[in-house]
Every structure is written in structure tokens, then in C-alpha cells.
């Protein structure tokens, strides 16, 4: 059941009605039933995988909790001892506790990640269809177990409540990645109906549908044809570089708007996944603004565990005796390597994804290593921090770089991606034929480009307002009733009249394939 | 108690907000539909029927089918042929599915109890080709007025994901450019209805692709094993419905081009199948392609395209049906079978032309034709650049069907002219000319 389909809207409406009819303490049960039904609609196999992942990580959490209790109890018995004996026993106990914790965590996470890797590998090689949202809930479950192990919160004792968190159906398309400690309150505290939350949620959903159905699908009508084409030309590559980031932003953030908007109707806040990435001035900033929750996951569960690793820091210390700069940067570089290798693999088991990850790594590492040098160069050129022209240049540079990375990962193979990049610098390869063919394809001919341009302007205005910390929803809330009604109707008709697919089936979400 | 009085105004405020939004939605749908939906012949017909209803005259005959019926049967001719008491309504729509015809007929019989005659148009391959699409189904859906029948029909074709298309405006989303023209046309029409009974006709295609643009035949295909069971079910349901309501029904196949009729074996199979089917159901079947005056009326040169007739021809073929309904003997109008009808067709039935590129920039022009009576064709191929004199590429008539179009002409707008002549066994000379205009952009 795609969130773009009418059955989803009917399903969402039914869930909303039942959810608000029920007393607060039963509302989460309604969500659980809806989650399972939603998953079952996508396939029973996917449902079983979800249940298995939930059960394994739930058990891991319970065992980790029990181990913690055990450790506390044993630590209590040490109070009778004193001095060196106590310290020695405490150290041994801590080490034993750490060892057992790691074993439980490994026993919980290895099968879960293996299941994910199995499906991911086979889906990438075309032998099976990936269960719905497996790449999202698997790592949400990983974060839950890791957090319990780190003692951030006590494990959830009720399996069904944990399942409700893990399988929350609005996030079963493209995330966002959530954390149990932050979502627990949202999911289980119970919510009363709010007209304002409902209208704001609907407005956000409509905005998301417009972004996805009109802009992303319109652009895809051309970009999809260019990516499918075996002919590579500089002009078509330039168009891909310029439009792919915009298409992916409209597609992915459109889905997030729909998902977050619907959750808002239920009174449940989901974390934002985008913070106006168009304003990023460097590649590392892109990843703090684009797919924010994945970036945060990588930071907390890959970067820091590696960077703060005992052995790595000991090695860095040894190296820094002879090479201080190398020793200082070693933990960061190794951690970044792990992060971007993970990022590449999370997107897919293919050379192009690894290459994509390492291209990102290269520019981020460059920024880390030469950051001080850049600053000195800027000062020499008398470019002030915050200079508007310089900021625009940085934004354009970052946008183009990001576009090149996306073009690399969106092609059918790494080889084609590389050929596309090379074609950009070969004037002889700037033929207009592939572009002409893409624009005259069936899908592209039904696109209304003025409406797309209007939407791009609207997105820029809203993102600028967000960047300036202006609350657009508050502003909308204060608008007179007829203006609000007209806006809702206008957005609805934009979708109905300007969907490029017309009466054909809509495109799925790009990030859902990961 | 105190809480109750506080909550009430908020609820009322929210209700007002919802009602205002709903009102805007209805208003927007009305305005958008008014602007996007063009003025159609059926709108004119509906207006005419409403005017007649004011005079106390209601339709007593209905025509159903696809565009071949819509543009091929003139209801005013039927009115004239049958007499003052008759009022026919042409309810055919483009690619009308037989399921749509059934529900539309059910609706019309509910609305107009005076209807006692129904003409069902059926093309040779309609039972094979599922030519219908969502748009054509929605077109019929719009015309059905009875909510219950509308719902039943909607359930037969509408997928749940297609519910947004019930918003009528979105069906005409490609008409954005003519928004103001459409509104102006409608205002003009309702201010000055003028001649309200008219049927449209399909204009002949004028532009051909030089590589692929062979003027080919309409591909009539018929194999009994390929018959779509659903279409057949609804056709029989129409017959049954007419029987139940005591309404006379007849099946009509409108004229197709000479070349298609003459050369396709599937035409013969389809005609025989339809004739047998009609006979088994006790329904008369009139195949206008078997018209005895086909040659005399020069049908081959008066078609709008391979399956649609021109307006004049529509009036003539409607008159034939009118006369038969008025009691004249069908055998006086039609040959008994396809073979006999074909034997009466003579001459050059179709010219074709296409071009293929050569390495030196020139193009080879390939001409072709369909002839009767095993005649041998002679070709003359000429080119006429826009605004210039015609140049003969073959130096008169020749037996070769190919010639070269020099590179100097390729890329500019021009007309390719193919003349074919052939001599019959009785010494009669037959000629046919095809002129294909090629735009500069078509050369690619």
C-alpha cells in the first residue's frame, strides 16, 4: 500500500477515526494493529521478517537489561570489601559485564544485520524483492539495542509496545530513523484530537504530494529517460547534475512531508529528515541537512564508537610520537572511512554505491584536513565569513558536487556513471540528441513545466523561511479562513491537474528501494 | 456544563472551516470543468433535446457505439427519414466500451421511456480489440444520469486508485491552453444556439513521417478465438435488455475504406460472425460495407480516414438505415455477402509512400498501392517544395515503384505526390493520387 495510493488515504482516515475514538491508553494498540495490517498488505514475508527482527532485538534488550541488573546486584555485594581487593574485584566485574554485554549485543545484532544483508544483496542482484522498509527498521532496531547496551534507557518489557515503535506504519516507506527514547512518549502517551494539528498535517501532506507527484515525477520523466539511455553526452550529464538533486529532494522530502504530516494528524511528532539542504555550503554540511536521521545514526552508532575505540586511539597515540598530524587525524579519518563505507553499503551492495560513498568521503576528508588552510586562503583573499557572494558560490559548488555524486549512484553501473562524469569535460561529447529524445518521451510530453517552475519557487521560499526560523505553519494559521481554504483547494487541484503521469500509474519513491 | 459551553463555539468554528473548504472545492471543480472541457457535439445535442422536451417531444430512438457511429450517423437524417414523430439521439462516444453502451442504454431507457428503437454500432474488430481506456469509460460515466446505474458502471471499470478522476476537470487537463476559449465557446453557444443538430467528422491526416509514415491500412483483425468475453457478454446483455423493455434493436457496421474492406480476410470472417450472432439473438444486422451503391457513391475517395466517414457520407449511410427502419427491404440496399460486395469494387484502392535515408543525404522514395482485378500499376512520383513548382522525379509513369529524392529537397517542407494508374480488363483506366505534405521538422 503506497502512501501515494487512494487505499492508503482511506486506510489513514480510518486509522485516524478509530485512533481518536479510543481512550488514550488503548491508542497505541490501534497503531499496532494498523502497523501490522499495513505490513501484511505489503506481503506476509515482509511481516515475518519484521517480527523476527523485532523479537530478536527485543530479547537482546531484555537480556542486556537483565545483565545490567545483575551487574548492579553484584556491584552491591562488593560494598562489604574494601581497599585494593574491592578495586580489583570491581575491575574484574566491570570487564566481565562488558564482555557479556558485547556478547549479548553481538548475538542480537549479527542475525538481524545478516538478515538485512541477505535481503539487500539478493534484492540488489535482482533475485528477490526486498521486504518493505527493511533497511530502515533493521537499523532502528540496532540503535535500540545499542542504546540499551549503553545504558541510555531501560529496555521495553512489553514486546507489543516495542513492535509498535519499530513498525510505526507512516515511517515504513522511507523512514525517518527514530530513537526509542524520543518516540516512546510520542507513541504511548495518548493524544486528544486537535483541529489545528489535523489541518496543519493535511496541509503538509498536500505539500508533500505536490512535491512528489508534480515536481519529482515530472523531472523523473526526463531524468529517468536520460539515465536509461545508453547514449552519454555532456549536455545530458550536465542536465542530470543540475536536476537530479532537485528531483531527489522533491521525491524524498515529499515523502517525508506526507509521513510527518500524517503523524502530526495523529498527534505524533516524527523527527525532521531535511533542513533546507539547498543552503549547504559543503558536502559535510549536506549530510547534516539531507537525510538528517541517517546522518545522526551514522554519527552515533558508527563514527563515535570507532573514533573513541580504545585500540584505534592507542595506535593514534603511537603514530603521533613521530607524525603528530597523522596521529591526530587518524581516528577521525578511520571513523569517516567506516561511516562512508557503511553509507555506501546501506544504499546498495554495488561498486557504484561504494564509489559514491568514497567520493563523499574524499571531499569531507579534504575539508577536515585542509580546513585551517582554507581559512587562511580566504583571509588572504579578503573574503569575510558570511559574505553573500562567497556563500552563494559555496552553495552552487556544493550543489554541483552533490549532483555529480547522485549521477554516479543513479546510473545502471559505476562504469556508466564514470563515463557521464568524463563527458562533462569532453566538448566533443556535448550532443543534444539524448536530451532531445528524453524531452520528447511520452512521460515528458505531458509535463507542465511552468507549474514545475512555480513549485521550485515555492520550495525555495518555504526553505528560505525555515532557514530564517520563520514558522510557516504559524503564519498560515493566522491567515483568513477563505485564503486557507483556497490554498488547500489549489494544492489539491495542482496534484489532480498537473500530475505528469496523467491517468497512468505514479512513480514509486526513489529512496524506498534502499 | 461550563466546559460544554466553551467547546461549542470551537466545534462550530471548525465546522464552518470545513464547509468553506468544501464550498471552495465545489466552486473550483465547477470553474475548472467549465474552462477545461470543450464544447462538444453531445452538449449541443443535449441542449437540443432539452429544447424539444419543452415542446413535449422526447427521444424515441437511440444510437450507441464508438466514434465510427458518433461521426457516422446523423440523427437529424433519421428524424427526417422516419417522419415528424421520430426524435433520435446519437449517444455514441469515442471508443465507447460495450459495457458502457449497456449501462448508458439502461440509463437512457430510464430517462426516456418513449425510446422504442436502438441502433448499436459495432466495428469489425470491436469484439477483439479492447480499444477502450479510462478516458473513454469516464466519458460514458459522465453521460449517465441515474445515480444507481452510474455507481454500477463505475464499479465495473473504476479502480480504487482512479477515484481522483471522478473530479471531472482532471479529464481535460491537457486543455489548459484553451481555458478561456472553451468558456467563450460555451457562452456563445448558449446565447446563440443556432443549428444545434450536427455531428463531427474526423479530418484526414495530413502529416506523415518520411521514414515510418506509410499511409497504411486500418488493421482489421478478427479471430473467433480472440473474442473478448466481457464485450460479448455486454453485447448480449444489450440485446436482452432491449427484449425485456420491448425495444427494437439492430446492429450496424459503418463504412470502412475500400482498401481495408477489399484486402482483409478478417473482414469476411468478422462479417459472418456478426451476422450469425445477430441471427441467433434475433437481431437484424446491417453491414453498410455491403452497400450496393458503394462504388457509385465513390466511398473510397470520401472517407475521412480508414474507418471514419466524412459528414456527407455519414448523411448518406444514415439515410440507408433510416429507409430500412421505415420499412424498406434491406436486400434492396445490401449485397448478400462480402465476396459479392468486393466483386463490385474496381480500381486503385490505396496509394502508399515512405522514404528511407541514403548515405549521400538523398532519400529513396518507396511507393505502393492496392489494386483490384490483378491489374499492373504504373507510378509517377513527384515532389513539390512549398511555394514552388511540382518536379517530376520519374519522368512520367513507370513500372518502378521507387525513385530517389535528391538531397537538395531533404529537410525543407514539401509535398510528395504519388500517382498510380492501371488499366482494367475492360480497358477502363483507373487513377489515384496521394499527396503527403512533409513539414521541415518531420525530417528530423
Amino acid at each position: 500500500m503506497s502512501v501515494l495510493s487512494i487505499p492508503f488515504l482511506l486506510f489513514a482516515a480510518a486509522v485516524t477515526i478509530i485512533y481518536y475514538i479510543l481512550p488514550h491508553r488503548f491508542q497505541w494498540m490501534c497503531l499496532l494493529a494498523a502497523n501490522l495490517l499495513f505490513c501484511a498488505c505489503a506481503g506476509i514475508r515482509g511481516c515475518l521478517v519484521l517480527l523476527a527482527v523485532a523479537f530478536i532485538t527485543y530479547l537482546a534488550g531484555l537480556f542486556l537489561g537483565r545483565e545490567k541488573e545483575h551487574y548492579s546486584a553484584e556491584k552491591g555485594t562488593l560494598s562489604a570489601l574494601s581497599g585494593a581487593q574491592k578495586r580489583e574485584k570491581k575491575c574484574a566485574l566491570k570487564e566481565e559485564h562488558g564482555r557479556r554485554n558485547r556478547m549479548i549485543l553481538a548475538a542480537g545484532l549479527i542475525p538481524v544485520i545478516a538478515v538485512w544483508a541477505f535481503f539487500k544483496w539478493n534484492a540488489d542482484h535482482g533475485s528477490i524483492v526486498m521486504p518493505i522498509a527493511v533497511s530502515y527498521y533493521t537499523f532502528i532496531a540496532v540503535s535500540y539495542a545499542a542504546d540499551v547496551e549503553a545504558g541510555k534507557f531501560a529496555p521495553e518489557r512489553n514486546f507489543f509496545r516495542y513492535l509498535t515503535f519499530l513498525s510505526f506504519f507512516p515511517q515504513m516507506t522511507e523512514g525517518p530513523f527514530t530513537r526509542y527514547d524520543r518516540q516512546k512518549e510520542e507513541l504511548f502517551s495518548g493524544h486528544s484530537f486537535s483541529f489545528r494539528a489535523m489541518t496543519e498535517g493535511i496541509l503538509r501532506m498536500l505539500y508533500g504530494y505536490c512535491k512528489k507527484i508534480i515536481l519529482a515525477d515530472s523531472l523523473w520523466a526526463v531524468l529517468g529517460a536520460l539515465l536509461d539511455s545508453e547514449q552519454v553526452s555532456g549536455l545530458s550529464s550536465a542536465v542530470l547534475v543540475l536536476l537530479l538533486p532537485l528531483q531527489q529532494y522533491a521525491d524524498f522530502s515529499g515523502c517525508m512531508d506526507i509521513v510527518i504530516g500524517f503523524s502530526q494528524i495523529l498527534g505524533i511528532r516524527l523527527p525532521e529528515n531535511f533542513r533546507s539542504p539547498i543552503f549547504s555550503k559543503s558536502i559535510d554540511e549536506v549530510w547534516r541537512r539531507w537525510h538528517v536521521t541517517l546522518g545522526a545514526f551514522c554519527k552515533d552508532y558508527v563514527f563515535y564508537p570507532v573514533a573513541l575505540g580504545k585500540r584505534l586511539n592507542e595506535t593514534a597515540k603511537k603514530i603521533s610520537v613521530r607524525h603528530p598530524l597523522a596521529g591526530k587525524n587518524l581516528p577521525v579519518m578511520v571513523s569517516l572511512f567506516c561511516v562512508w563505507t557503511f553509507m555506501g553499503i546501506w544504499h546498495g551492495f554495488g561498486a557504484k554505491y561504494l564509489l559514491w560513498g568514497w567520493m563523499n568521503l574524499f571531499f569531507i576528508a579534504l575539508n577536515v584536513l585542509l580546513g585551517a588552510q582554507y581559512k587562511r586562503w580566504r583571509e588572504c583573499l579578503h573574503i569575510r565569513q558570511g559574505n553573500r557572494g562567497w556563500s552563494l558560490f559555496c552553495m552552487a559548488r556544493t550543489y554541483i558536487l552533490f549532483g555529480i555524486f547522485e549521477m554516479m549512484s543513479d546510473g545502471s553501473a559505476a562504469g556508466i556513471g564514470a563515463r557521464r562524469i568524463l563527458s562533462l569535460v569532453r566538448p566533443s561529447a556535448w550532443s543534444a540528441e539524448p536530451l532531445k529524445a528524453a524531452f520528447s518521451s511520452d512521460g515528458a510530453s505531458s509535463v507542465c513545466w511552468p507549474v514545475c517552475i512555480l513549485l521550485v519557487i515555492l520550495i525555495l521560499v518555504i526553505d528560505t523561511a525555515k532557514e530564517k526560523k520563520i514558522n510557516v505553519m504559524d503564519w498560515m494559521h493566522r491567515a483568513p479562513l477563505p485564503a486557507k481554504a483556497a490554498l488547500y483547494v489549489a494544492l489539491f487541484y495542482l496534484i489532480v491537474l498537473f500530475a505528469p503521469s496523467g491517468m497512468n500509474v505514479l512513480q514509486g519513491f526513489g529512496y524506498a528501494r534502499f | 456544563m461550563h466546559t460544554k459551553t466553551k467547546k461549542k463555539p470551537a466545534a462550530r468554528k471548525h465546522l464552518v472551516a470545513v464547509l468553506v473548504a468544501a464550498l471552495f472545492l465545489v466552486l473550483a471543480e465547477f470553474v475548472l470543468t467549465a474552462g477545461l472541457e470543450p464544447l462538444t457535439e453531445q452538449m449541443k445535442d443535449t441542449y437540443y433535446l432539452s429544447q424539444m422536451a419543452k415542446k413535449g417531444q422526447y427521444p424515441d430512438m437511440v444510437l450507441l457505439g464508438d466514434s465510427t457511429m458518433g461521426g457516422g450517423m446523423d440523427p437529424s437524417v433519421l428524424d427526417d427519414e422516419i417522419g415528424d414523430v421520430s426524435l433520435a439521439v446519437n449517444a455514441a462516444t469515442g471508443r465507447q466500451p460495450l459495457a458502457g453502451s449497456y449501462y448508458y442504454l439502461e440509463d437512457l431507457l430510464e430517462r426516456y421511456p418513449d425510446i422504442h428503437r436502438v441502433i448499436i454500432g459495432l466495428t469489425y474488430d470491436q469484439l477483439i480489440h479492447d480499444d477502450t481506456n479510462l478516458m473513454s469509460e469516464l466519458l460514458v460515466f459522465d453521460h449517465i444520469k441515474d445515480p444507481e446505474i452510474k455507481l454500477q458502471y463505475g464499479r465495473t471499470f473504476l479502480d480504487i486508485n482512479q477515484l481522483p478522476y471522478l473530479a471531472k476537470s482532471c479529464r481535460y487537463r491537457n486543455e489548459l491552453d484553451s481555458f478561456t476559449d472553451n468558456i467563450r465557446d460555451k457562452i456563445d453557444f448558449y446565447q446563440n444556439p443556432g443549428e444545434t443538430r450536427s455531428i463531427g467528422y474526423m479530418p484526414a491526416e495530413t502529416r506523415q513521417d518520411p521514414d515510418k509514415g506509410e499511409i497504411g491500412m486500418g488493421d482489421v483483425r478478427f479471430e473467433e478465438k480472440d473474442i473478448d468475453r466481457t464485450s460479448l457478454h455486454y453485447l448480449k446483455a444489450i440485446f436482452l435488455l432491449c427484449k425485456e423493455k420491448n425495444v427494437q434493436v439492430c446492429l450496424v457496421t459503418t463504412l470502412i475504406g475500400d482498401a481495408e474492406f477489399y484486402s482483409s480476410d478478417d473482414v469476411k470472417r468478422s462479417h459472418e460472425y456478426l451476422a450469425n450472432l445477430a441471427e441467433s439473438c434475433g437481431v437484424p444486422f446491417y453491414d453498410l460495407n455491403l452497400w450496393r451503391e458503394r462504388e457509385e457513391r465513390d466511398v473510397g475517395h470520401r472517407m475521412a480516414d480508414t474507418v471514419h466517414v466524412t459528414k456527407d457520407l455519414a448523411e448518406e449511410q444514415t439515410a440507408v438505415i433510416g429507409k430500412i427502419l421505415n420499412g424498406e427491404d434491406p436486400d434492396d440496399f445490401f449485397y448478400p455477402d462480402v465476396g459479392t460486395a468486393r466483386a463490385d469494387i474496381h480500381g486503385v484502392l490505396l496509394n502508399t509512400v515512405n522514404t528511407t535515408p541514403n548515405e549521400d543525404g538523398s532519400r529513396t522514395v518507396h511507393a505502393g498501392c492496392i489494386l483490384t482485378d490483378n491489374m499492373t500499376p504504373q507510378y509517377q512520383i513527384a515532389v513539390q517544395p512549398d511555394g514552388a513548382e511540382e518536379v517530376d522525379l520519374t519522368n512520367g509513369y513507370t513500372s518502378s515503384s521507387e525513385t530517389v529524392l535528391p538531397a537538395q529537397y531533404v529537410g525543407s517542407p514539401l509535398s510528395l505526390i504519388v500517382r498510380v494508374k492501371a488499366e482494367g480488363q475492360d480497358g477502363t483506366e483507373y487513377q489515384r493520387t496521394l499527396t503527403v505534405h512533409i513539414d521541415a521538422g518531420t525530417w528530423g
Side-chain angles (χ1 to χ4, degrees):
Chain A
M1 197 190 318
S2 163
V3 298
L4 297 171
S5 66
I6 298 292
F8 173 80
L9 292 178
L10 297 175
F11 177 71
V15 170
T16 308
I17 293 167
I18 299 168
Y19 181 80
Y20 282 119
I21 287 172
L22 289 172
H24 285 182
R25 66 179 188 283
F26 295 129
Q27 281 178 338
W28 70 269
M29 293 178 195
C30 165
L31 286 183
L32 177 61
N35 295 347
L36 293 177
L37 191 60
F38 185 85
C39 284
C41 286
I44 294 298
R45 191 192 59 177
C47 224
L48 293 175
V49 174
L50 169 73
L51 285 171
V53 169
F55 191 64
I56 293 169
T57 47
Y58 165 75
L59 279 184
L62 278 188
F63 282 118
L64 284 166
R66 195 175 293 171
E67 174 55 32
K68 202 180 170 199
E69 283 167 11
H70 194 232
Y71 173 62
S72 304
E74 283 197 12
K75 217 163 67 172
T77 60
L78 295 180
S79 55
L81 301 171
S82 62
Q85 198 191 5
K86 184 180 177 180
R87 267 201 304 278
E88 203 176 291
K89 282 262 185 187
K90 205 173 170 182
C91 254
L93 190 64
K94 197 176 173 187
E95 211 166 281
E96 178 62 17
H97 168 68
R99 193 182 61 81
R100 271 195 248 154
N101 259 359
R102 282 194 295 275
M103 275 180 63
I104 297 168
L105 194 62
L109 297 193
I110 288 170
V112 165
I113 293 175
V115 165
W116 167 78
F118 168 79
F119 282 112
K120 188 84 182 162
W121 174 272
N122 285 295
D124 284 352
H125 291 81
S127 49
I128 53 168
V129 178
M130 212 150 70
I132 183 173
V134 69
S135 293
Y136 293 92
Y137 65 70
T138 300
F139 290 98
I140 294 175
V142 166
S143 78
Y144 166 80
D147 283 351
V148 172
E149 195 269 343
K152 285 188 186 167
F153 50 79
E156 174 57 63
R157 305 265 164 202
N158 185 333
F159 172 71
F160 296 107
R161 279 164 73 96
Y162 174 63
L163 188 61
T164 308
F165 155 73
L166 201 61
S167 62
F168 184 47
F169 76 91
Q171 67 190 71
M172 292 295 271
T173 305
E174 293 186 330
F177 286 88
T178 47
R179 307 282 175 90
Y180 182 71
D181 52 340
R182 289 171 210 168
Q183 284 310 109
K184 192 170 70 172
E185 271 298 300
E186 296 290 334
L187 288 169
F188 305 121
S189 60
H191 300 277
S192 301
F193 178 76
S194 153
F195 188 75
R196 182 173 172 175
M198 189 190 74
T199 50
E200 286 184 2
I202 291 174
L203 188 60
R204 185 142 186 198
M205 285 176 84
L206 282 171
Y207 178 52
Y209 281 121
C210 281
K211 273 197 213 172
K212 164 63 188 161
I213 295 175
I214 302 169
L215 187 57
D217 283 3
S218 296
L219 290 174
W220 189 250
V222 173
L223 301 179
L226 285 179
L227 286 167
D228 286 344
S229 165
E230 285 179 7
Q231 262 187 301
V232 173
S233 96
L235 195 61
S236 61
S237 300
V239 169
L240 282 170
V241 168
L242 289 176
L243 296 183
L244 255 181
L246 182 64
Q247 191 276 335
Q248 295 203 349
Y249 178 51
D251 186 287
F252 195 3
S253 72
C255 178
M256 286 303 106
D257 286 325
I258 296 165
V259 162
I260 295 173
F262 174 64
S263 302
Q264 198 175 343
I265 293 173
L266 297 177
I268 296 164
R269 269 178 304 173
L270 283 178
E272 291 291 340
N273 226 359
F274 290 90
R275 290 192 200 116
S276 314
I278 199 104
F279 296 110
S280 306
K281 295 189 194 79
S282 62
I283 289 294
D284 52 340
E285 194 184 347
V286 169
W287 289 99
R288 292 195 299 274
R289 290 170 173 270
W290 173 287
H291 209 173
V292 175
T293 55
L294 176 64
F297 175 90
C298 288
K299 190 179 78 181
D300 292 346
Y301 303 101
V302 184
F303 184 87
Y304 283 132
V306 177
L308 301 175
K310 209 171 161 185
R311 280 184 196 160
L312 182 62
N313 279 290
E314 279 169 6
T315 314
K317 261 183 201 166
K318 278 179 199 165
I319 291 172
S320 61
V321 176
R322 283 192 176 181
H323 308 285
L325 192 68
K328 186 185 152 197
N329 286 309
L330 183 72
V332 177
M333 289 302 133
V334 172
S335 311
L336 281 176
F337 177 79
C338 292
V339 164
W340 285 102
T341 305
F342 168 77
M343 282 281 246
I345 292 172
W346 183 84
H347 282 83
F349 281 103
K352 64 176 181 177
Y353 293 114
L354 270 182
L355 212 59
W356 167 85
W358 290 338
M359 279 165 83
N360 273 284
L361 169 68
F362 175 75
F363 283 94
I364 291 171
L366 218 60
N367 209 19
V368 171
L369 294 172
L370 301 177
Q373 190 64 39
Y374 284 151
K375 203 178 167 191
R376 273 199 292 279
W377 288 343
R378 263 208 321 270
E379 280 164 6
C380 285
L381 293 166
H382 303 290
I383 298 167
R384 280 183 300 110
Q385 188 74 30
N387 177 299
R388 191 168 288 179
W390 176 250
S391 298
L392 280 174
F393 166 73
C394 289
M395 281 190 245
R397 178 196 62 186
T398 308
Y399 183 92
I400 289 168
L401 260 183
F402 188 71
I404 291 173
F405 298 163
E406 293 306 302
M407 182 173 72
M408 183 77 208
S409 68
D410 260 327
S412 52
I416 288 190
R419 269 175 60 206
R420 285 204 176 97
I421 295 170
L422 285 177
S423 72
L424 285 168
V425 289
R426 280 175 54 216
S428 59
W430 278 62
S431 155
E433 284 309 311
L435 200 62
K436 269 188 194 169
F439 271 97
S440 56
S441 63
D442 281 350
S445 56
S446 60
V447 170
C448 185
W449 294 109
V451 173
C452 291
I453 293 167
L454 199 76
L455 259 180
V456 172
I457 294 168
L458 182 70
I459 291 170
L460 279 175
V461 168
I462 290 177
D463 277 11
T464 309
K466 276 187 193 168
E467 192 68 2
K468 291 186 182 298
K469 311 274 184 244
I470 297 168
N471 191 330
V472 182
M473 285 298 184
D474 267 354
W475 184 78
M476 267 307 305
H477 190 68
R478 286 197 297 273
L481 181 60
K484 275 192 278 189
L487 178 73
Y488 280 76
V489 171
L491 287 176
F492 172 75
Y493 272 104
L494 271 181
I495 301 164
V496 167
L497 295 179
F498 298 107
S501 45
M503 295 195 175
N504 301 323
V505 180
L506 296 165
Q507 297 285 338
F509 287 105
Y511 257 70
R513 71 181 191 274
F514 299 131
Chain B
M1 211 45 200
H2 184 69
T3 325
K4 248 187 178 176
T5 49
K6 261 197 164 177
K7 269 187 180 171
K8 216 173 175 183
R12 197 178 299 147
K13 200 173 131 193
H14 297 155
L15 186 68
V16 169
V18 172
L19 286 177
V20 168
L23 187 73
F24 268 71
L25 202 68
V26 172
L27 204 69
E29 175 62 10
F30 176 75
V31 172
L32 286 167
T33 304
L36 297 177
E37 186 182 16
L39 178 69
T40 60
E41 294 302 326
Q42 290 217 347
M43 280 181 197
K44 293 178 185 175
D45 235 28
T46 308
Y47 179 81
Y48 177 77
L49 290 178
S50 68
Q51 295 300 104
M52 295 305 285
K54 281 178 191 166
K55 293 177 193 168
Q57 200 178 346
Y58 297 94
D60 59 353
M61 188 191 307
V62 61
L63 289 75
L64 287 158
D66 65 5
S67 57
T68 58
M69 276 297 273
M73 287 279 148
D74 189 338
S76 61
V77 174
L78 285 175
D79 296 349
D80 295 344
E81 287 292 338
I82 294 169
D84 288 344
V85 287
S86 175
L87 180 59
V89 51
N90 191 344
T93 51
R95 296 184 180 191
Q96 188 175 101
L98 278 159
S101 301
Y102 171 78
Y103 286 106
Y104 196 2
L105 177 62
E106 205 181 351
D107 178 64
L108 288 165
L109 292 176
E110 285 284 322
R111 273 193 277 158
Y112 303 116
D114 291 353
I115 290 176
H116 63 273
R117 273 197 186 117
V118 173
I119 303 175
I120 304 292
L122 202 66
T123 61
Y124 284 129
D125 47 6
Q126 202 171 335
L127 288 176
I128 303 286
H129 278 300
D130 189 14
D131 236 7
T132 58
N133 53 28
L134 182 59
M135 189 70 186
S136 58
E137 284 162 335
L138 286 166
L139 209 62
V140 179
F141 182 80
D142 290 342
H143 285 106
I144 296 173
K145 302 287 180 221
D146 186 292
E148 202 182 318
I149 299 171
K150 213 176 176 95
L151 184 70
Q152 275 178 5
Y153 179 50
R155 282 171 59 189
T156 62
F157 77 88
L158 207 62
D159 177 62
I160 193 162
N161 277 318
Q162 291 163 337
L163 283 177
Y165 302 123
L166 289 180
K168 200 175 171 189
S169 58
C170 72
R171 275 159 241 177
Y172 306 98
R173 56 198 287 277
N174 296 327
E175 306 285 334
L176 279 168
D177 295 344
S178 43
F179 194 94
T180 46
D181 291 344
N182 289 338
I183 292 182
R184 199 180 307 121
D185 287 350
K186 284 175 197 168
I187 293 171
D188 287 351
F189 171 72
Y190 288 110
Q191 278 180 345
N192 184 21
E195 176 54 58
T196 51
R197 299 220 93 182
S198 57
I199 54 167
Y201 70 96
M202 304 283 167
E205 284 185 23
T206 53
R207 183 181 144 172
Q208 297 293 321
D209 187 310
D211 280 335
K212 301 170 189 165
E214 184 170 324
I215 306 217
M217 302 192 309
D219 183 22
V220 176
R221 193 169 63 82
F222 187 88
E223 286 288 346
E224 205 172 325
K225 64 178 173 54
D226 294 336
I227 284 177
D228 175 33
R229 296 291 141 195
T230 312
S231 298
L232 187 62
H233 164 79
Y234 279 106
L235 182 63
K236 287 181 177 174
I238 290 170
F239 296 156
L240 209 64
L241 179 69
C242 291
K243 203 174 171 185
E244 277 172 15
K245 301 270 181 183
N246 204 18
V247 172
Q248 289 177 36
V249 59
C250 68
L251 200 60
V252 168
T253 297
T254 55
L255 284 163
I256 62 170
D258 275 350
E260 290 71 36
F261 179 68
Y262 185 83
S263 39
S264 171
D265 281 343
D266 292 44
V267 164
K268 197 165 175 259
R269 277 200 295 275
S270 177
H271 171 85
E272 282 164 6
Y273 178 82
L274 292 177
N276 289 337
L277 177 73
E279 197 182 344
S280 67
C281 296
V283 170
F285 171 49
Y286 308 122
D287 186 347
L288 283 153
N289 290 293
L290 271 59
W291 190 13
R292 288 179 190 275
E293 290 177 25
R294 185 182 180 110
E295 178 87 348
E296 191 184 312
R297 303 261 180 171
D298 197 17
V299 167
H301 288 93
R302 294 173 64 208
M303 294 295 290
D305 61 24
T306 54
V307 289
H308 297 98
V309 297
T310 51
K311 192 173 183 331
D312 293 344
L313 201 50
E315 286 172 7
E316 289 166 35
Q317 68 173 355
T318 313
V320 172
I321 299 296
K323 286 186 173 78
I324 293 170
L325 293 178
N326 220 12
E328 293 189 35
D329 184 1
D331 291 345
D332 292 346
F333 295 95
F334 300 124
Y335 286 116
D337 54 53
V338 173
T340 325
R342 278 179 179 170
D344 200 29
I345 298 174
H346 306 283
V348 186
L349 304 185
L350 183 82
N351 299 4
T352 64
V353 64
N354 66 11
T355 71
T356 49
N358 300 324
E359 281 180 6
D360 61 356
S362 64
R363 291 183 94 100
T364 304
V365 182
H366 310 271
C369 65
I370 293 176
L371 295 169
T372 61
D373 311 316
N374 295 322
M375 292 187 289
T376 310
Q378 295 270 306
Y379 297 93
Q380 184 195 28
I381 303 170
V383 60
Q384 185 174 23
D386 281 8
E389 291 290 306
E390 182 183 314
V391 179
D392 187 352
L393 298 174
T394 48
N395 294 322
Y397 282 94
T398 158
S399 58
S400 170
S401 61
E402 286 184 2
T403 190
V404 172
L405 179 70
Q408 71 203 65
Y409 296 112
V410 177
S412 48
L414 50 82
S415 296
L416 272 178
I417 301 154
V418 176
R419 294 189 182 92
V420 179
K421 72 173 182 182
E423 198 177 293
Q425 284 162 352
D426 59 353
T428 314
E429 191 177 275
Y430 298 101
Q431 268 199 345
R432 193 176 183 110
T433 303
L434 167 73
T435 306
V436 178
H437 187 260
I438 301 168
D439 297 324
T442 314
W443 294 106

